[in-house]
Amino acid sequence: MRISVASDSLDGVAPILVSEIEKRGHTVIPHGAVGDERADWAWCCSLAAADVASGAADQAVVCCWTGTGASIAANKVAGVRAALCVDAATADGARRWNDANVLAISLRLTSAPLLGEILDAWFAGAPSLAEEDQANIAYLSQIEN
C-alpha cells in the first residue's frame, strides 16, 4: 500500500516511523518533518489526509506531540476518518468498526515497541462487514455532505 506519513517534529518515534512502515512492505509518501514541507501539524497532517482523499495514498499515519492536533487536521479533509490510537486494540477497533483510513499517534506517548504493535494491528485490520457498522460509516459521509 501507499501510506502518506506526516509528523510536525522529529521527536519520539518520528525518526523511525517511515522505516517501520516500509519494513512492513509499504511505500511511504512523506510530509512535514519526515519530508521536506512545512512541518506545522495543521499543514503536514492535512496534506497527508488529502493524499488519502485524492487516492494518492491508500492510508495515512499522522502524528504530533499529543496526536490530537494531527487527528483534528486530518479529519477536516472530506472522506477521511482519522483515529487517534494509543494501543493495538484501539487501532484494530478503529479499522474494524470505524473503517478508519488515517492513523493518528502521539509522539509523547508512543514507545518504539508500542508503535510496532499499533502498526501491526492497523495494517492487519479490515473494516467490519456487519450491517450496523457499514450503516455508521455511510452516515458519516452523509454528515460531511
Side-chain angles (χ1 to χ4, degrees):
M1 283 192 293
R2 296 163 302 170
I3 309 297
S4 189
V5 177
S7 181
D8 68 346
S9 73
L10 292 176
D11 294 312
V13 294
I16 64 167
L17 183 58
V18 169
S19 64
E20 285 294 317
I21 293 169
E22 290 174 336
K23 184 167 81 174
R24 288 162 174 77
H26 305 291
T27 302
V28 169
I29 304 167
H31 293 288
V34 297
D36 61 359
E37 299 164 333
R38 185 172 180 163
D40 298 283
W41 59 266
W43 278 264
C44 67
C45 295
S46 64
L47 284 173
D51 285 348
V52 173
S54 73
D58 300 297
Q59 296 178 359
V61 178
V62 297
C63 43
C64 65
W65 188 243
T66 63
T68 56
S71 64
I72 290 168
N75 277 317
K76 293 295 182 183
V77 177
V80 167
R81 292 173 304 282
L84 175 56
C85 298
V86 297
D87 57 33
T90 304
D92 176 66
R95 292 287 299 127
R96 181 181 311 147
W97 298 306
N98 311 126
D99 191 12
N101 52 14
V102 175
L103 167 63
I105 61 170
S106 166
L107 295 174
R108 183 180 75 81
L109 292 177
T110 310
S111 66
L114 183 57
L115 174 64
E117 294 171 10
I118 291 169
L119 291 175
D120 288 344
W122 179 267
F123 291 128
S128 167
L129 299 178
E131 186 177 323
E132 63 273 13
D133 295 329
Q134 291 294 311
N136 276 303
I137 302 310
Y139 184 63
L140 291 177
S141 295
Q142 292 175 12
I143 294 170
E144 280 182 346
N145 298 326

